[in-house]
Amino acid sequence: MLTKRTHLKSIKLKGVILTKNKKSFKTLALFLLFFKPSCNFTNFFFSNYYCTVIGMKVPKRSSRHKNAQKEEEKKLIEQKEERSEEEAEDFVESPVVSDDDDDEEFSDDDGSLSVSGSEDGHLPGEEDVFVSSDGEDSFDAKSDDASGNGASGSGRDDTEHDKDEDAESDNSRPVVLESDSSEDEVVPRNTVGDVPLEWYKEEEHIGYDLAGKKIKKKERQDKLDSFLASVDDSKNWRKIYDEYNDEEVELTKEEVKVIKRLLKGKAPHADFDPYAPYVDWFSWDDSKHPLSSAPEPKRRFIPSKWESKKVVQYVRAIRKGLIKFDEKPKEEPSAYLLWGDDSTAIDRQGLAYIPAPKPKLPGHEESYNPSLEYIPTQEEINSYQLMYEEDRPKFIPKRFTSLRSVPAYEKAVNENFGRCLDLYLCPRARKKRINIDPESLKPKLPSRKDLRPYPTSCYLEYKGHKGPVVSISTESTGQWIASGSTDGTVRIWEVETGRCIRIWELGESVHHVSWNPLPERPILAVCKGEDVYLLNTGLGNAEEQKSLEELLRVETGPSPDDSDNDKTIVNWVQDDKIGGIRLKHFKTVSSVEWHRKGDYFSTLMPSAQSRAVLIHLLSKKQTQRIPFKLHGLPVSTAFHPSRSVFFISTKKNIRVYDLLKQKLIKKLETGVREVSSIAVHPGGDNLIVGSRDGKLCWFDMDLSSQPYRVLKCHPKDVNRVAFHRSYPLFASSSDDCTAYVFHGMVYSDLNQNPLIVPLEILRGHGSENGRGVMDCKFHPRQPWLFTAGADSVIKLYCH
């Protein structure tokens, strides 16, 4: 049964055990120790018929701590007297616990708990414990931070202070764990939320706690006293003032470490790893190539009908006046000439009044002592003499030490006489000058965005050759590419991966490589010195390889159709070492070109005079000369993509022959210094020519024998030109280490001229012995460009 002195607000136990027998106090104390081990027993108040308080002896403290506690006790008593009556009601005096050194809580004789208590709750040698209205208790002297031995749940500050100042007392007393109940640790928190504290400036409180009571403002300490206190306090740098709760908060070591890491730009937590290993979540097993091999859809090359309808709607709205453009109002000049305006003379008709031209105002250069930057050097004065008199400057600045040393103007008399003649004879007359914008003279070309796709950037490099790569050739399916170099090797690469699958060591510099245009015949023609090799690449299925072995087999006996003259020109020999056919010529072979059917191919020997161009038949192993007379030194040859027409270019012109009728069709005059290469458009009616002086000539054979366009793009020699099979693209490679990509659209309408637009300049190759990009070829199906450079690297440029 509880008495009237029992404080109901301070009872925080989930269960209460009351006994009337004093001998059972020990059992009750042990129960409370087990029930709430982290709190002092002074937090609980029990009353029965025989006693009023159950207490525990507070651990022994040193004399130094006792003196400090007494001083703190005096300060607390003074502060309590100064507080108001409302604040005094919040504190309730609680029973005390004995702290005498002579008395013991547990006697050794009978093992019972000895408790001394009275109804007033104050005994000699006891310490007062004050309990607030919200249930928090605080010792007057012994629960302060300086003591470090308080038994109340002051939490973090007490334990940290114990480590620094009173290690002996920590070892002498048992460690009291904190309670897991949040009710004992509730502190008055301000619940005003986002309400600004300026609204409480005139009030005596700063807000309300969770119980709805006012939080009084603390008295402001004098700045001098606060400064002296901060100097003496070694932990002052850790304290932060919380203006919402009107208290100082001391940062822990962990919080200081977090702030230091944030100031250094690091992660707040030390266990965070900013350099964790990268985890690639993408599966690359079935992805050989990142670019899509799907053909471009037709909708990308057809104008949108929805856009055209939208444009028609806008045009109709503008005509009806629904859409109006902002017209700027005419600005009236605020200043005008007082004695007349020059614009009035323009409105007059005839020669009644013609204003004299206004002379240029003098500048710094006409000073007698100008700056050195205005005085020309002797080289500049000599260069003035080489100019036309109209472009020559009228006045040359000079420098004099003083104004007195400036001579008279030399042409003063002549200019005054000429001026008088002008006024007397009035030779001035109005001349209409046409002002033409230079931009309007440029041809209107479509935007580059509308002409996509075309190669723009380097995507892949093929490295393996030790010398300059002279020639490259793409297979008809676009899966493989062959290359020949001056290091005497021929390599076959896989386009998508850049992997070299086969190498032939020929022992001599390779001049040209060319792939058979038929996909079922993966035969590679290679020019090396005076020999031409027809190599079996080993690609394709078993049936194709079987037919290739029969096709590349040469009989040892002479053919009855061969004449004595033909035997001396070319010999067909089976080469078992390399695997293929070897054609022995009597002069150095520079190039080889295949016919579209894959059975005929031509070889070019520039120094063979009348037998420089030969045509070979692979199926019958025969060779014949062309029935035409060559005029000049041949440079390159080409077959027509759809008809039996053959192109032969010399250094100055290009001749077009009909092989069936055996006659000359056309002669094209290039007008360049020297032709280096030619390429025929897939349609067959247009031709591009590259020259040694860096020019590109576009010929429309249905239009004229003269070039339709001459493009001056490269500063050095053009080594190779090429057309794309399906896209309206053509390219050129030069020794300036660049490759130019152009848009060349040929229309089916004969009345419309071809459209030529420069698109991109591809760079990336290095120069070697003055040579740059040696060869270029387009991919047969994609808008990709392969370039071979003198730096022994092959590059693939994609869109």
Side-chain angles (χ1 to χ4, degrees), residues 711-730:
L711 307 176
K712 300 178 181 179
C713 50
H714 294 282
K716 292 186 179 181
D717 298 354
V718 176
N719 294 324
R720 194 75 62 184
V721 291
F723 268 109
H724 199 284
R725 294 184 184 179
S726 55
Y727 288 89
L729 299 172
F730 68 97

Side-chain angles (χ1 to χ4, degrees), residues 170-182:
D170 291 341
N171 298 329
S172 62
R173 62 181 177 86
V175 178
V176 180
L177 300 177
E178 294 184 357
S179 173
D180 57 351
S181 176
S182 61

Side-chain angles (χ1 to χ4, degrees), residues 63-79:
S63 60
R64 181 170 57 87
H65 289 168
K66 288 182 179 180
N67 295 332
Q69 290 170 3
K70 289 180 180 179
E71 294 177 1
E72 295 292 335
E73 182 180 359
K74 292 179 181 179
K75 291 182 181 180
L76 289 174
I77 292 173
E78 293 175 0
Q79 290 179 2

